[in-house]
Amino acid sequence: MMSWFVQPGRFGFCGYAVFIIALAVGLVGCSSKTKMPSNLERGQVLAHRYIILDGHIDTPTRGLFTDEQIGVSASGEFDHPRAIVGGLDAPFMSIYVPARFQHTGGARAHADRLIDWVEGQVALHPDKFVVATTPDDVRAAFVAGQVALPMGIENGAALEGSLEALDHFYRRGIRYITLTHGEPNDICDSSYSIHRPWKGLSPFGVQVVARMNELGIMVDVSHISDQAFWQVLEVSTVPVIATHSSMRYFTPGWERNMSDEMVRALGESGGVIQINFGSWFLNEAALLANQAFRAKLGAFMARTGHGYLDAETQAFIEAYFAENSYPYATLAEVLDHIDRAVEIAGIDHVGLGSDFDGLGDTLPSGLKDVSDYPNLVAGLLERGYEPVEIEKILGGNLLRVWSQAQAHASRK
Ligand SMILES: [Zn+2]
């Protein structure tokens, strides 16, 4: 068994190969031409007919610790073969800068290293991948049968306090920035920390949002505090996005997810919430299980001095989950979050931000890796969504905001 950190998908490529063979046998064996396709069959078709854009996939950080090629096969939740099976067209690669770099320095260099990794994967398999910096790039890749790899930075600490760094990262292909991560930085406060030095956005953060608007870098409000969210909405002249957040309604009081009031305002301003698939974003039992685990893990690491990726820590994690079973959420709960987001914000303001490769082994049944999007599409069909609505959720809405950000920038 792989660790909490690198557990491969359980219903991955092999599962789908079996499914497709079974489907072929079933269709050949069926003499009736009037047989209605099942929702799963229709989901399979629509997942490949429409562009699936996922707002947040954390593969680059995994990539730094392995020599795997995502163009061939990877032990995480995203690689090219499974993207093809699942119909994934444009996973935003998360250029994740851990908060520790705010204390040690080196945040910008770390972001550059991760961007280098993405470019390196494309260079290894230019027939399979292309870096995408515009919505048109995504559409062209879709037509050409390539998987587009747009990029977003998770944690504006990568700027190291410099507005010039925004120009640098724009040139490198970054098209959104999550303003902070687990701690407050020099831009804004974090939902994960009770330390709130800025009561929202800092004066530098206001400048950062304005300059991002000018350049055409989308503002990502996932991870930031509620106060920072409301101030971003005031400051930004372009609709903003939440690349991997879910509905707080189902996890009351947990600030990392968005309240109905915030989702409504996000929608009214033209933005998009991209629903996170992690079990602990979906229900309270999983959230409490995660919090209990993290407390134990933190105590272990502090006591022993081991890092997260050390063999001893991984052994601790394995032992913990051998004793404490994890309350996985279900695909139906992801659909519940989408339903509520659509009800509150409207069909034009909801998307997908799986957080694959960033959640450890906490993904819900039926959505274990990038080969599983057809299950989600089948679920949307079952709940009565029309294909035109599904196209919006799968990627159309985010492409619209991206185009708006781009058009706004080109006016300058
Ligand atoms: Zn995140």
Side-chain angles (χ1 to χ4, degrees), residues 56 154 181 223 244 256 355:
H56 194 91
E154 183 171 33
H181 189 254
H223 282 289
H244 58 307
R256 176 65 184 78
D355 217 345

Side-chain angles (χ1 to χ4, degrees), residues 97-113 153 155-166 168-169 177 179 185-187 204 208:
V97 176
R100 69 172 181 278
F101 286 103
Q102 297 166 212
H103 310 293
T104 63
R108 175 169 166 161
H110 187 70
D112 274 325
R113 217 163 24 242
I153 287 178
N155 191 353
L159 305 181
E160 296 184 339
S162 152
L163 287 179
E164 177 279 327
L166 282 171
H168 164 76
F169 285 119
I177 296 177
L179 297 180
N185 60 15
D186 53 6
I187 296 172
F204 175 62
V208 166

Side-chain angles (χ1 to χ4, degrees), residues 56 58 94 96 154 178 181 192 222-223 243-244 256 276 281 355 358:
H56 194 91
D58 260 312
S94 171
Y96 163 55
E154 183 171 33
T178 317
H181 189 254
Y192 277 151
S222 287
H223 282 289
T243 64
H244 58 307
R256 176 65 184 78
N276 190 311
F281 287 77
D355 217 345

